[in-house]
Amino acid sequence: MRQDIERILFTEEQLKGRIAELGAQITADYRDRNPIFVGVLKGCFVFMADLLRCVDVYCTMDFMSVSSYGDGVTSTGAVKITKDLSRDIAGRHVIIVEDILDSGITLSYLKKYLSVRNPASISIVTLLDKPSRRRADISADYSGFEVEDAFVVGYGLDYAEEYRNLPYIGILKSEVYSK
Ligand code: IMP
Ligand code: MG
């Protein structure tokens, strides 16, 4: 798979270090608030597993699945919930866990969708943020790294469902998706 990667942006070591910092921040902010982490599948799975092991507060977790992409590299703009939460979130402090905040369409939809269930609060933690591509009025409360406008894969992020298992994050060669 390495031959499909143009350039490595974040190594395993860099990811580990930054995620430990995010975990420490969340630990400090959510002490005694018993938050519920809501992972957005499937992209969140590697990040969430590493992040939550750096969070030292009582908490629970749940997952949702949304689709907005198909197999392309740009969002279709239409968000569909394909798996909803398994428990009620009324009165809970919700922390949405995302792999990447790109146009922001997915997360702004999700935030509105969950807010009608009367949680005590909703915040967003994203591993990557691509602010240059933002189309919806939304920002992350906790963000790992800012990335340039390039299509990235690895560490949970996919192209057409592949590359999620790369242990680092890299820019995908454009010839891979223009084939
Ligand atoms: P948004 O709705 O445009 O913010 O898109 C968010 C979702 O698009 C993310 O959860 C990813 O699944 C996907 N996405 C956006 N940019 C990339 C990328 O560079 N690589 C892989 N997936 C991406
Ligand atoms: Mg995703």
Side-chain angles (χ1 to χ4, degrees):
M1 283 189 296
R2 178 65 184 88
Q3 71 274 10
D4 295 348
I5 303 301
E6 180 86 48
R7 183 156 54 88
I8 294 179
L9 287 182
F10 307 111
T11 64
E12 282 187 82
E13 278 308 300
Q14 286 173 303
L15 290 165
K16 196 171 171 220
R18 182 67 185 122
I19 289 165
E21 290 174 359
L22 291 176
Q25 257 180 287
I26 292 172
T27 298
D29 294 350
Y30 282 85
R31 210 174 288 288
D32 304 321
R33 293 170 83 190
N34 191 34
I36 175 166
F37 288 87
V38 171
V40 185
L41 293 170
K42 297 175 232 163
C44 75
F45 84 108
V46 183
F47 173 47
M48 187 156 168
D50 284 347
L51 176 69
L52 289 205
R53 281 177 289 178
C54 297
V55 170
D56 186 21
V57 300
Y58 290 100
C59 62
T60 60
M61 60 197 81
D62 205 342
F63 295 92
M64 290 185 77
S65 207
V66 299
S67 71
S68 62
Y69 258 59
D71 280 350
V73 292
T74 51
S75 177
T76 57
V79 181
K80 198 172 93 199
I81 307 280
T82 54
K83 183 214 168 299
D84 208 327
L85 295 175
S86 54
R87 297 274 192 99
D88 190 20
I89 54 165
R92 297 293 304 276
H93 292 282
V94 173
I95 305 176
I96 301 175
V97 184
E98 252 286 32
D99 51 0
I100 185 166
L101 185 51
D102 186 32
S103 73
I105 290 168
T106 309
L107 278 182
S108 71
Y109 179 88
L110 210 56
K111 212 173 166 180
K112 280 185 205 121
Y113 183 83
L114 294 180
S115 65
V116 299
R117 297 182 188 175
N118 299 115
S121 67
I122 303 184
S123 67
I124 293 171
V125 53
T126 186
L127 177 62
L128 305 177
D129 191 2
K130 268 192 212 171
S132 60
R133 305 220 338 139
R134 203 60 38 81
R135 282 156 64 199
D137 179 24
I138 190 148
S139 59
D141 301 274
Y142 306 90
S143 159
F145 298 98
E146 244 185 50
V147 290
E148 59 200 276
D149 184 7
F151 197 78
V152 297
V153 293
Y155 200 75
L157 290 122
D158 73 308
Y159 167 63
E161 294 299 329
E162 289 184 317
Y163 305 101
R164 295 191 195 275
N165 54 320
L166 287 174
Y168 50 80
I169 289 175
I171 298 178
L172 189 63
K173 284 184 180 166
S174 59
E175 58 256 40
V176 175
Y177 49 84
S178 51
K179 265 193 292 216

